[in-house]
Amino acid sequence: MEQFYSSQPRTLSYKSPYPDLDQQSTFVWSGHTISHNDSHDPLPRSKVERSEDFKQISSLSGDTLPRHQNDSEQHADATVSALRASKGQHSPAEHDDDDFLHGPGYSDLDEDELSEADSDYLTLRTNIAKFKDSVRKFRAEQSHQSDEGSFPGTVEDSHKRGKRRATRGKSIARGPRKAAEPTGDIKFRLGQASQAFIEERYEDAREIVFEVIRINAETYEAWTLLASIWKELGDLDKTVMTLMYAAHLRPKEVAVWLNCARFALEETGGDRAKYLASAKFCYASAIRADPKNDVEARLGKAEVLQELGNCSSALSEYKQVLKKLPHDTKVLRHMAEIHIDQDNVEEAKALYKRSIAFYRAVNDPEKQAFDWSDVNIYVELYGYLGHYSGAIKELKSLARWLLGRQDQTYWDEITQNDCEWDLDHTRRAQVTGFVESQHELHQYGKGLPIELRIKLGLYRLQMGQNDEAMMHFLWLDPRNESGENRILDYPDLFREVASSLSEAGAYEDALAFYEALSAISEQDDLSILLPMGKCYANTNRVEQAEECLRMLADLDAYNIEARMQLAKLYEAIDDQEQAFFYINEVFALRRRPAAKHCRTNSASCDPILSEETLVPARASRKSYYKPKRGLNSAERQREEILRAERLQEQYSIMCLQHSSMRSGLDGPTRAWMDAARDLIEDFRGFRTFYPLDKYLRFLGYTTGVSQTQPETGAVPLDADFAAMANRVSNRLGSNAESSSNGPLSSNVPENYRGIPFPVWLDIFLQYALCLVRYGRFREAYEICGAARDAVVWYHSREDMFLIHVCWCACAVLANDEETCLSTCRYFMKEGQFTTDSYRMFAALGRLTQSPISWYNSGPTQKYILRQIKAMDSALTSSRSRHMSFSDMHCARPGEAVNATVGNDVDVCLLMVYGHILYSGASYAYALNYFLRAYAVDPGNSLISMSIGLGYIHYGLKRQAENRQYHVMQGMTFLLRYYDSRCSSSAVEERQEAHYNMARTYHLLGLTHLALTYYSRVLLEVQGPTPTRDDLVRDAAFNLQTLYALGGNPKLAKAVSDSWLSV
């Protein structure tokens, strides 16, 4: 059989006994090629004998072979059958299968009749004999496995089929056929793949599995192994997809579907939500596969539906499970969660009551499934409804039952206290009916879990019984008097108790739990700083309250509540300046509703381009503010003196190294940068320079602030805070007037730490340029942004101009076109309709050596278009001004342009927008703006050249309707440009005119005309002497290329020797 299934094709040649067949026809059989020719016939036999030969050959492609049949086999069988039919012979299909195994064939021939040259025929006969044996074995195995005891196709099988048809009323098993046993070749390949997988050669294993699937895509083992490979390679999508495909191959095996669902839910990590739908499908398929044993599948499906938010369907699934598993506590818990979400708590309570009654009636402890967690959920239903007394009663009753004291029903009458759950019998002994020796001590106080005890205390606290509640809370030992550090085991209980005590007004008791939480590094987070600060403030611990609230305000730049509490704190201690500072911050944050959204989605709030200015928006930068520690003025003053001395030393270093830094020396430059960094960090850490409202001018460090602050009624606030803001503002105003003995003083500081503000600006800008020199571009942008945001320069046009010029210089040095063009939009915004601002925009776009992706980007194009609309709106009549933009007429190429002609039309703005469209290949739209500019300034040669090139490029596009017309229009404007430039006295301008005309003809394929203009470029100069904008070498190179391509190498060499050689 190995030779029979050999992968190398073999050719068996014999003379065809059928003259009707093509003399060169070929049959392919199981990898062997059988060719018909008349050259030689080793065994001349009769047509009947040859018919038997073809009978055996054609039977090899019957139902006994695998289903992957070669097309050549089918063609051969069909051809032979047709010939037999034409000669009155019977086809092999008309004979019984036994004829194939026992009929006349090659085995009936005498070996003496065979020649030595017919070895191929002997091999074929041997292979056919072996194949007959394999067919017999296969039929024998099928006969043993068949329930009917007959082989398909026999008379007995036909009788059975008729019998089954006669009994249609009986149920017949339906479903997918049983999977075939993998062949030896597939098993061998799977073994190789498994070995490669074990050796962690996942790529090799994957290729082998792919080959197995190509051979037989229904091989279940191949798909499961492929899923394991994808899992190891980290491709979760393909792993889940492969597992689902494998499950479809075994649709009746529940375990396969459950395995796929578990992987989708448990092995996908953070992408779990992405595969919930796949898990739901797998659980549904598992239910269909075995509806009688579907508990696990229905539970999984219900949990997935609940997670997807489909609570109604999930509840239906849980009810189905509850029918098969009555009073199952796991199902009850899930149903209680859904009922709470649907605000149907009474239904959940009814379910639990029925289950509790059932479990209390069961005396077998092994069947007892109701435990403490179920008690917790059940009493929480009462707490959710606010029935605290009922929750306490049910909690105590169920706890007695679980501890084995269900007979002590007299405790239900004790409702004023919880002495039943004390540690000792001191208070219990006073209860009528209590017998100390009736039960063990651990069945009382120590037997109640700490979680339920705390819940009992919380319910007592809600009922106003604080003393009884504290007796339960003290079991947590917040001050760690026992040394057990229960905070490590129950941090959530500590947090819940502290929050409840704080809300109840028990600030001292709450602080005991908050301080225990803050002592643990894992629990010391921002969420406890605000309630701790409130508790400290309400207990008159001002320094601790200030420290907590300031820490929260510094760490969370958008926390309004912390700033409100700080403002109240400073007003209470009569520090009106600090109070007013935080009041301003609260007002500013209330005006920025997007701030909180950005804080909660910090991962997606990356620095973006502002819609109006396209300057990179300020990211959440490092806080340089150093908060004051406490209110000790002496200590604060001492720290300030030390800091001032250190900064003075750094400033002295900067002055000494300044000239060397300007010379570009590396060592002095680095020393100067280190000193400048310390000074800049100190400047940026001074909060007065960086208020949240930058429109407020800098009026000083202490006084004179109130008269420029916004009114408190601008933003709706709560009445108490608005009243406080008014009080603080009035007090600050009265203090300022009394200190100046009259009107508000207009003296504004002009320096900081003895350094004038212009010097500070030079330090910022020079430091940014030094950072760019060392490749630290982003830091340089940050320094420029810090200078822009400082209130001491924000309202000065000269200072802001210098800052943005430096910012553009940094971007040019960094070859950053995006930042360069974004920053340049500041000049167009501040100098709107000023020609120089648009020229600067175009020049900066030319300086950066990068693609034009940002020059013609969508934001830039829209911004320039808005500038044009604003210009047109100012020049048109009021009636036209209210027309929609879609109603305005835009001239097509070739139409007369009814442009607005006036002295206020900015030609440079029109040309900038036209070139933006031109660079994006929108030539038709660009021509509209070029023609508008031409109507205003017809003698401008650049405009004529732009119009000419626009027409020519538009004519060369596939969408052009009249290419010749566009080319002629373009050449008309280009010739005007050429005449204008040729009349210039500058050699460079004449060279430019010749070269541009040559390039245009070159583009159009008119090389004979291009040669003339290229030659004129060379004639403008005597020899290869370069000029300011020399185009000689470019023209010479193009001229040489044209000569070479035209078949004139002599002239090409002459041009090279004269103009291109060094």
Side-chain angles (χ1 to χ4, degrees):
M1 294 299 288
E2 294 179 359
Q3 186 178 5
F4 178 75
Y5 286 106
S6 173
S7 60
Q8 300 295 330
R10 302 181 58 191
T11 302
L12 307 180
S13 302
Y14 55 90
K15 182 177 180 181
S16 172
Y18 306 106
D20 297 334
L21 286 175
D22 186 3
Q23 300 301 317
Q24 299 297 327
S25 62
T26 302
F27 297 129
V28 178
W29 165 62
S30 299
H32 300 265
T33 305
I34 307 174
S35 303
H36 299 267
N37 56 68
D38 294 331
S39 59
H40 82 281
D41 185 7
L43 282 178
R45 294 187 298 278
S46 64
K47 293 184 179 179
V48 176
E49 292 173 333
R50 287 298 184 185
S51 175
E52 294 299 328
D53 294 345
F54 276 100
K55 171 186 174 182
Q56 298 191 40
I57 293 174
S58 62
S59 66
L60 295 179
S61 60
D63 294 337
T64 59
L65 286 178
R67 288 176 296 171
H68 305 289
Q69 184 179 11
N70 195 292
D71 295 338
S72 301
E73 300 175 26
Q74 298 177 2
H75 176 70
D77 295 341
T79 304
V80 174
S81 299
L83 289 173
R84 285 174 174 149
S86 64
K87 296 180 181 294
Q89 300 177 2
H90 296 286
S91 64
E94 297 175 1
H95 295 275
D96 189 72
D97 290 339
D98 292 337
D99 295 339
F100 162 67
L101 297 175
H102 306 292
Y106 296 109
S107 59
D108 297 330
L109 298 177
D110 190 358
E111 294 186 359
D112 295 338
E113 300 178 8
L114 301 177
S115 65
E116 295 180 357
D118 206 15
S119 60
D120 290 338
Y121 176 75
L122 292 174
T123 302
L124 176 62
R125 189 179 68 174
T126 303
N127 290 338
I128 291 177
K130 291 181 180 180
F131 183 73
K132 287 181 179 180
D133 294 337
S134 66
V135 171
R136 291 190 188 98
K137 291 180 181 179
F138 175 76
R139 288 183 175 180
E141 293 176 357
Q142 294 294 323
S143 63
H144 289 297
Q145 295 178 2
S146 175
D147 294 335
E148 301 295 333
S150 62
F151 192 81
T154 61
V155 176
E156 182 182 359
D157 181 60
S158 301
H159 174 70
K160 296 293 183 181
R161 287 198 301 270
K163 186 176 181 180
R164 283 196 296 270
R165 285 194 298 268
T167 60
R168 289 183 179 179
K170 298 182 180 180
S171 61
I172 302 175
R174 297 179 181 274
R177 59 178 175 77
K178 184 179 180 180
E181 182 74 14
T183 63
D185 179 53
I186 290 181
K187 289 182 178 179
F188 176 73
R189 294 176 185 270
L190 286 175
Q192 289 182 326
S194 300
Q195 185 64 30
F197 179 80
I198 294 173
E199 296 174 357
E200 299 183 358
R201 294 186 289 110
Y202 302 121
E203 299 293 339
D204 297 339
R206 183 180 62 182
E207 296 302 323
I208 299 174
V209 173
F210 281 167
E211 182 65 20
V212 173
I213 293 174
R214 187 192 64 79
I215 297 173
N216 186 2
E218 296 183 359
T219 306
Y220 171 78
E221 294 79 2
W223 289 101
T224 55
L225 180 56
L226 182 60
S228 301
I229 295 172
W230 287 127
K231 178 183 176 182
E232 295 298 329
L233 293 175
D235 195 331
L236 296 178
D237 287 338
K238 293 183 179 179
T239 304
V240 174
M241 180 187 66
T242 307
L243 286 174
M244 293 186 69
Y245 192 93
H248 279 86
L249 296 177
R250 304 284 176 89
K252 291 299 182 181
E253 294 189 14
V254 177
V256 177
W257 290 110
L258 295 180
N259 179 49
C260 182
R262 291 192 196 101
F263 180 87
L265 295 177
E266 300 173 5
E267 302 292 336
T268 51
D271 297 330
R272 186 174 187 271
K274 179 181 177 182
Y275 301 101
L276 289 177
S278 300
K280 172 187 171 184
F281 176 81
C282 292
Y283 282 128
S285 300
I287 294 172
R288 289 194 298 270
D290 190 1
K292 296 182 179 180
N293 301 308
D294 59 350
V295 173
E296 183 179 359
R298 285 193 182 275
L299 280 175
K301 181 182 178 182
E303 292 177 3
V304 172
L305 288 170
Q306 187 177 356
E307 190 170 352
L308 288 172
N310 194 349
C311 295
S312 299
S313 300
L315 191 61
S316 300
E317 296 293 338
Y318 283 130
K319 288 180 179 179
Q320 293 294 328
V321 176
L322 204 60
K323 291 179 181 179
K324 298 183 178 181
L325 300 177
H327 311 295
D328 186 83
T329 56
K330 182 179 179 181
V331 179
L332 289 177
R333 294 169 192 169
H334 289 294
M335 293 181 71
E337 293 177 3
I338 296 177
H339 282 306
I340 291 175
D341 293 337
Q342 295 180 342
D343 200 16
N344 189 13
V345 183
E346 293 294 342
E347 181 67 24
K349 284 174 57 179
L351 288 173
Y352 265 99
K353 284 183 178 180
R354 289 195 294 268
S355 298
I356 290 171
F358 169 79
Y359 285 116
R360 280 191 165 184
V362 175
N363 296 323
D364 189 359
E366 296 182 356
K367 297 181 180 180
Q368 187 61 260
F370 200 86
D371 56 13
W372 294 109
S373 59
D374 299 301
V375 175
N376 190 14
I377 296 174
Y378 177 56
V379 298
E380 186 62 30
L381 297 176
Y382 284 88
Y384 182 83
L385 295 174
H387 301 163
Y388 302 115
S389 58
I392 293 174
K393 180 180 179 181
E394 292 293 331
L395 190 154
K396 294 164 70 173
S397 176
L398 292 173
R400 283 196 303 273
W401 166 54
L402 291 178
L403 291 173
R405 295 190 294 109
Q406 62 270 19
D407 56 328
Q408 295 184 345
T409 57
Y410 57 86
W411 289 111
D412 293 335
E413 305 298 329
I414 310 300
T415 60
Q416 298 301 320
N417 59 61
D418 301 323
C419 61
E420 177 186 3
W421 305 105
D422 289 349
L423 183 61
D424 52 30
H425 296 310
T426 303
R427 291 201 298 172
R428 282 193 291 270
Q430 302 176 7
V431 177
T432 303
F434 173 72
V435 179
E436 183 176 344
S437 60
Q438 185 176 3
H439 294 286
E440 298 293 335
L441 184 62
H442 65 81
Q443 292 179 290
Y444 291 94
K446 290 185 177 180
L448 185 66
I450 189 65
E451 293 85 356
L452 292 178
R453 181 178 291 279
I454 297 304
K455 194 170 290 294
L456 197 59
L458 292 174
Y459 294 152
R460 290 293 182 185
L461 188 65
Q462 293 292 336
M463 296 173 64
Q465 302 173 1
N466 293 12
D467 295 337
E468 194 68 27
M470 284 303 302
M471 295 184 67
H472 293 294
F473 295 154
L474 290 177
W475 280 70
L476 289 174
D477 191 15
R479 293 180 173 82
N480 196 23
E481 296 175 356
S482 62
E484 296 180 1
N485 283 328
R486 294 186 177 180
I487 179 65
L488 300 177
D489 299 325
Y490 309 105
D492 53 335
L493 296 181
F494 273 75
R495 192 181 295 269
E496 187 176 6
V497 169
S499 177
S500 299
L501 288 173
S502 177
E503 292 176 1
Y507 301 113
E508 286 287 354
D509 297 328
L511 280 173
F513 291 91
Y514 278 130
E515 289 173 352
L517 286 169
S518 62
I520 306 301
S521 59
E522 292 82 359
Q523 303 299 326
D524 187 13
D525 54 11
L526 299 182
S527 61
I528 67 172
L529 289 177
L530 181 61
M532 276 185 69
K534 289 182 178 180
C535 291
Y536 280 129
N538 285 287
T539 55
N540 294 324
R541 302 182 191 179
V542 180
E543 293 185 4
Q544 292 90 334
E546 181 196 24
E547 183 177 1
C548 291
L549 295 174
R550 273 204 153 174
M551 185 182 300
L552 177 59
D554 294 337
L555 295 176
D556 189 351
Y558 302 102
N559 194 303
I560 296 177
E561 183 66 23
R563 286 163 172 79
M564 292 178 65
Q565 294 298 325
L566 278 170
K568 294 178 181 180
L569 177 66
Y570 285 124
E571 186 195 14
I573 63 175
D574 199 23
D575 191 345
Q576 308 301 326
E577 175 194 346
Q578 291 289 338
F580 196 79
F581 174 80
Y582 285 105
I583 288 173
N584 279 332
E585 288 197 348
V586 170
F587 276 110
L589 288 175
R590 288 292 182 91
R591 294 190 191 93
R592 298 170 61 183
K596 184 176 180 181
H597 173 74
C598 185
R599 176 167 58 89
T600 56
N601 301 276
S602 58
S604 61
C605 291
D606 294 329
I608 58 175
L609 297 180
S610 172
E611 183 181 357
E612 294 298 328
T613 61
L614 206 66
V615 174
R618 183 176 51 173
S620 56
R621 63 176 187 271
K622 173 185 175 183
S623 177
Y624 293 92
Y625 175 70
K626 303 298 188 297
K628 292 182 286 186
R629 298 294 183 183
L631 299 178
N632 191 333
S633 59
E635 182 181 354
R636 193 183 306 165
Q637 185 176 3
R638 192 183 317 109
E639 292 180 358
E640 184 66 24
I641 292 174
L642 293 176
R643 187 183 304 113
E645 292 177 354
R646 182 175 57 84
L647 293 175
Q648 188 63 37
E649 294 177 0
Q650 298 294 337
Y651 183 65
S652 300
I653 295 175
M654 289 180 57
C655 294
L656 292 175
Q657 303 293 341
H658 186 264
S659 58
S660 301
M661 181 271 297
R662 297 295 297 270
S663 301
L665 300 178
D666 184 68
T669 301
R670 292 186 181 276
W672 186 92
M673 290 177 63
D674 293 338
R677 182 180 62 251
D678 293 340
L679 287 171
I680 290 175
E681 287 182 358
D682 179 76
F683 187 95
R684 296 175 68 182
F686 193 64
R687 278 194 166 187
T688 307
F689 295 152
Y690 294 95
L692 294 181
D693 287 337
K694 292 195 292 290
Y695 67 87
L696 299 176
R697 291 182 179 273
F698 176 65
L699 298 177
Y701 301 123
T702 56
T703 61
V705 185
S706 60
Q707 296 192 8
T708 59
Q709 301 300 330
E711 296 180 359
T712 56
V715 178
L717 295 173
D718 55 276
D720 294 339
F721 189 74
M724 183 188 68
N726 285 326
R727 290 195 306 270
V728 174
S729 177
N730 294 331
R731 291 172 187 172
L732 274 177
S734 61
N735 293 338
E737 291 178 4
S738 61
S739 62
S740 59
N741 296 322
L744 185 66
S745 176
S746 60
N747 294 329
V748 178
E750 297 181 354
N751 59 73
Y752 173 66
R753 295 196 181 278
I755 304 175
F757 288 128
V759 178
W760 276 108
L761 182 58
D762 292 340
I763 293 174
F764 269 80
L765 302 184
Q766 291 184 37
Y767 183 65
L769 293 172
C770 290
L771 289 173
V772 173
R773 174 183 172 185
Y774 290 100
R776 297 155 63 179
F777 310 124
R778 296 301 171 188
E779 296 181 39
Y781 298 159
E782 183 181 356
I783 295 298
C784 294
R788 176 200 61 189
D789 295 336
V791 71
V792 293
W793 302 309
Y794 186 80
H795 299 282
S796 173
R797 293 177 61 90
E798 295 79 7
D799 294 337
M800 292 296 287
F801 180 81
L802 289 176
I803 292 170
H804 283 84
V805 168
C806 179
W807 203 331
C808 289
C810 293
V812 170
L813 293 174
N815 200 24
D816 186 356
E817 183 190 14
E818 175 187 1
T819 305
C820 187
L821 296 180
S822 302
T823 310
C824 187
R825 285 176 60 175
Y826 164 81
F827 303 109
M828 292 188 291
K829 179 183 177 182
E830 293 298 322
Q832 194 174 22
F833 310 135
T834 302
T835 302
D836 289 340
S837 62
Y838 303 118
R839 288 178 177 173
M840 187 173 183
F841 176 81
L844 288 175
R846 175 69 177 84
L847 286 175
T848 52
Q849 302 297 321
S850 59
I852 59 173
S853 56
W854 289 103
Y855 177 75
N856 61 356
S857 62
T860 304
Q861 181 176 340
K862 292 176 182 178
Y863 181 79
I864 300 297
L865 181 59
R866 287 198 298 269
Q867 298 281 316
I868 296 177
K869 288 182 179 180
M871 179 183 67
D872 293 342
S873 177
L875 297 175
T876 55
S877 62
S878 59
R879 184 184 63 83
S880 301
R881 195 175 303 166
H882 291 85
M883 292 175 58
S884 63
F885 183 74
S886 60
D887 296 333
M888 296 183 182
H889 175 71
C890 292
R892 295 181 178 179
E895 294 183 1
V897 180
N898 186 15
T900 302
V901 181
N903 295 329
D904 294 330
V905 176
D906 198 315
V907 176
C908 187
L909 175 60
L910 297 174
M911 291 301 294
V912 166
Y913 189 65
H915 281 112
I916 290 175
L917 296 174
Y918 180 90
S919 61
S922 300
Y923 306 115
Y925 300 104
L927 284 171
N928 288 319
Y929 296 94
F930 289 155
L931 291 171
R932 284 189 60 184
Y934 180 79
V936 178
D937 188 5
N940 193 312
S941 58
L942 177 61
I943 298 176
S944 299
M945 184 187 72
S946 301
I947 295 175
L949 291 177
Y951 271 114
I952 288 177
H953 282 287
Y954 183 69
L956 294 179
K957 293 185 68 172
R958 180 170 51 85
Q959 295 88 348
E961 297 178 359
N962 193 338
R963 182 167 298 174
Q964 183 179 5
Y965 165 77
H966 292 306
V967 172
M968 293 301 296
Q969 283 285 93
M971 292 306 302
T972 300
F973 283 97
L974 279 175
L975 290 174
R976 291 181 185 177
Y977 153 76
Y978 180 76
D979 295 338
S980 175
R981 297 298 266 185
C982 285
S983 62
S984 174
S985 59
V987 177
E988 294 84 355
E989 294 183 2
R990 296 197 301 272
Q991 282 185 340
E992 173 199 312
H994 301 320
Y995 184 79
N996 285 335
M997 288 300 298
R999 286 290 294 119
T1000 303
Y1001 286 124
H1002 199 165
L1003 173 67
L1004 295 173
L1006 304 175
T1007 55
H1008 62 290
L1009 297 177
L1011 290 173
T1012 303
Y1013 287 94
Y1014 281 137
S1015 301
R1016 291 180 183 180
V1017 176
L1018 304 181
L1019 295 176
E1020 289 290 341
V1021 293
Q1022 298 296 328
T1025 304
T1027 57
R1028 180 165 54 89
D1029 292 319
D1030 187 39
L1031 295 173
V1032 172
R1033 292 186 178 179
D1034 300 278
F1037 180 81
N1038 292 341
L1039 196 61
Q1040 174 212 26
T1041 304
L1042 291 178
Y1043 282 141
L1045 293 176
N1048 196 341
K1050 292 183 179 181
L1051 281 178
K1053 186 175 184 304
V1055 172
S1056 300
D1057 294 341
S1058 302
W1059 301 97
L1060 299 177
S1061 61
V1062 180

